[in-house]
Amino acid sequence: MAFLELAALAKTYPDGTRAVKGIDFAAAQGEFVVLLGPSGCGKTTTLRMVAGLELPSAGTIRLAGADVTALPPSARDVGFVFQFYALYPHLTVAENIAFPLACARMPKHARDVAVANIARRLGLTGLLQKKPRELSGGDQQRVALGRAMVRRPAIWLMDEPLGTLDADRRLAMCEFLREQQLAARVTTLYVTHDQEEAMRLADRIVVMKDGMIEQVGTPLEVYDEPATLFVAHFVGSPGMNFLEGERVGAGAVTLGVRPESVRVAAEEGPAGDGGTPALKGEVVLDEYSGIARCLHVRTDAGTLVARVAADAPTRLGARVRLEFDPARLRRFDRASGRRLS
Ligand code: ATP
């Protein structure tokens, strides 16, 4: 049975902005679900409605078997972390982290053990007696995470909680979050616009656009079997390449292929497998990223990106032939943007 269930959930703000346009979605107990989409697509509004900080204009929210649609945040047993954290300035780091446990009347000794454990995992042990004003922004954000995760509510709600951290810390915190969540099995709804973070963390990703859900799926499904042109382009770095394909019946078809599924061959070399579609072009950009290189190849059908090994011999200015494995091509209806096969 679903643990969190959103049914026909909608939010229109008083100024008429339709932030969320009637979405349906269910999460199982213990699932880590990421709401992913570009700025303004309605992720935060959805999360705030689950938290009880915004009242829906229509639809229902069920949490742990109860209809919580009209309940205030305090009656929902949710724990949240937002990008703009607010620590209690007059309390030490240890007291900030212990605060939710003190509210729940946990005995002091058990509280101290829980705080010491989480502080060790977050690298905050040496800072426990400091006040928030003595910490950097990144350290304060980690304290906020610790304070939220020291308790085990029905659901954790997180809105870009790693937003203020540098790249190194972000990776470490992703690991921490996932480990904590797997150990506690607390159902988690996490908002981000960063698709790499979404892939790294999620059991399932909900991709949103313009207040609607485009696709719900595992990271692999969303990457490999995108439901729409939007998902195919938004997920992946860089996103899928698109080629205008043949017309089928009345509708036009767009073909999609991931950069790693584009094979780069010498322009006049031996042809690939019989029947493999190919295009000729010139390498106009060569981006090195350590483990691979992205070659941008200008062809008559537009510029396509091919991901090749970091030590591949092809260089800027080379004339090449691009080949596509037909099994890796995805076909979309151009008018609706939905995938055909
Ligand atoms: P971001 O990642 O930038 O926060 P988001 O996907 O979380 O974006 P929301 O913050 O949910 O999107 O906003 C969805 C839409 O609702 C946007 O057009 C936004 O401008 C609008 N919006 C958000 N809050 C309000 C409000 N209080 N009043 C009016 N419009 C709002």
Side-chain angles (χ1 to χ4, degrees):
M1 205 184 81
F3 187 73
L4 171 70
E5 204 171 349
L6 313 184
L9 193 67
K11 176 71 185 181
T12 301
Y13 284 108
D15 68 357
T17 304
R18 294 180 65 211
V20 178
K21 298 176 182 166
I23 59 171
D24 297 280
F25 168 72
Q29 169 127 44
E31 227 186 336
F32 198 122
V33 176
V34 173
L35 298 180
L36 172 70
S39 184
C41 71
K43 309 177 295 290
T44 294
T45 302
T46 303
L47 197 79
R48 287 174 62 82
M49 287 194 280
V50 176
L53 299 169
E54 293 289 349
L55 212 55
S57 314
T60 55
I61 302 168
R62 294 183 67 82
L63 180 63
D67 185 338
V68 299
T69 316
L71 294 185
S74 57
R76 295 190 185 200
D77 193 21
V78 297
F80 24 71
V81 196
F82 294 116
Q83 181 172 358
F84 304 105
Y85 42 86
L87 299 174
Y88 301 111
H90 57 291
L91 300 182
T92 63
V93 167
E95 288 162 345
N96 263 283
I97 297 176
F99 193 79
L101 304 179
C103 292
R105 300 191 196 292
M106 182 185 273
K108 179 156 182 351
H109 175 68
R111 229 158 55 204
D112 289 347
V113 172
V115 170
N117 277 339
I118 207 143
R120 193 176 58 251
R121 288 290 293 112
L122 282 164
L124 291 169
T125 305
L127 304 177
L128 282 173
Q129 297 317 315
K130 290 194 183 291
K131 295 278 177 61
R133 65 171 179 278
E134 301 173 85
L135 306 182
S136 69
D139 288 342
Q140 291 187 41
Q141 183 68 359
R142 283 185 297 143
V143 176
L145 265 179
R147 190 178 59 186
M149 298 192 82
V150 77
R151 196 172 77 81
R152 296 188 177 185
I155 190 165
W156 276 323
L157 303 174
M158 305 191 179
D159 193 351
E160 308 256 7
L162 310 182
T164 55
L165 302 179
D166 56 46
D168 227 24
R169 283 260 193 243
R170 269 177 102 95
L171 268 182
M173 283 303 104
C174 271
E175 231 172 84
F176 165 79
L177 272 178
R178 195 54 168 134
E179 275 176 25
Q180 288 291 120
Q181 195 270 341
L182 282 173
R185 296 310 297 172
V186 173
T187 309
T188 301
L189 200 55
Y190 183 104
V191 161
T192 183
H193 62 269
D194 180 334
Q195 46 97 24
E196 285 181 26
E197 200 166 284
M199 298 285 233
R200 194 169 286 129
L201 288 167
D203 289 316
R204 279 191 307 155
I205 298 175
V206 177
V207 186
M208 292 184 70
K209 179 191 170 212
D210 297 337
M212 312 264 279
I213 291 178
E214 288 273 308
Q215 183 171 7
V216 180
T218 63
L220 184 68
E221 284 164 350
V222 165
Y223 187 80
D224 214 31
E225 306 289 341
T228 64
L229 283 169
F230 173 79
V231 176
H233 180 70
F234 191 76
V235 175
S237 180
M240 209 175 237
N241 292 296
F242 296 129
L243 291 159
E244 301 315 331
E246 80 278 25
R247 297 182 78 81
V248 175
V253 168
T254 297
L255 298 174
V257 62
R258 290 275 173 210
E260 60 274 23
S261 300
V262 178
R263 203 175 87 81
V264 180
E267 186 178 29
E268 302 306 340
D273 297 339
T276 303
L279 278 173
K280 290 181 177 179
E282 179 188 340
V283 178
V284 292
L285 193 62
D286 178 356
E287 293 172 327
Y288 175 64
S289 68
I291 50 165
R293 280 170 38 230
C294 278
L295 303 178
H296 296 238
V297 180
R298 189 157 56 220
T299 75
D300 288 345
T303 299
L304 277 76
V305 181
R307 184 172 286 122
V308 297
D311 59 356
T314 315
R315 288 289 177 264
L316 198 62
R319 297 283 314 170
V320 295
R321 192 178 66 242
L322 302 179
E323 296 176 352
F324 316 102
D325 175 357
R328 305 299 306 158
L329 290 177
R330 300 289 176 259
R331 296 164 74 250
F332 299 86
D333 174 61
R334 201 173 308 156
S336 68
R338 299 215 70 84
R339 202 169 94 239
L340 300 167
S341 62

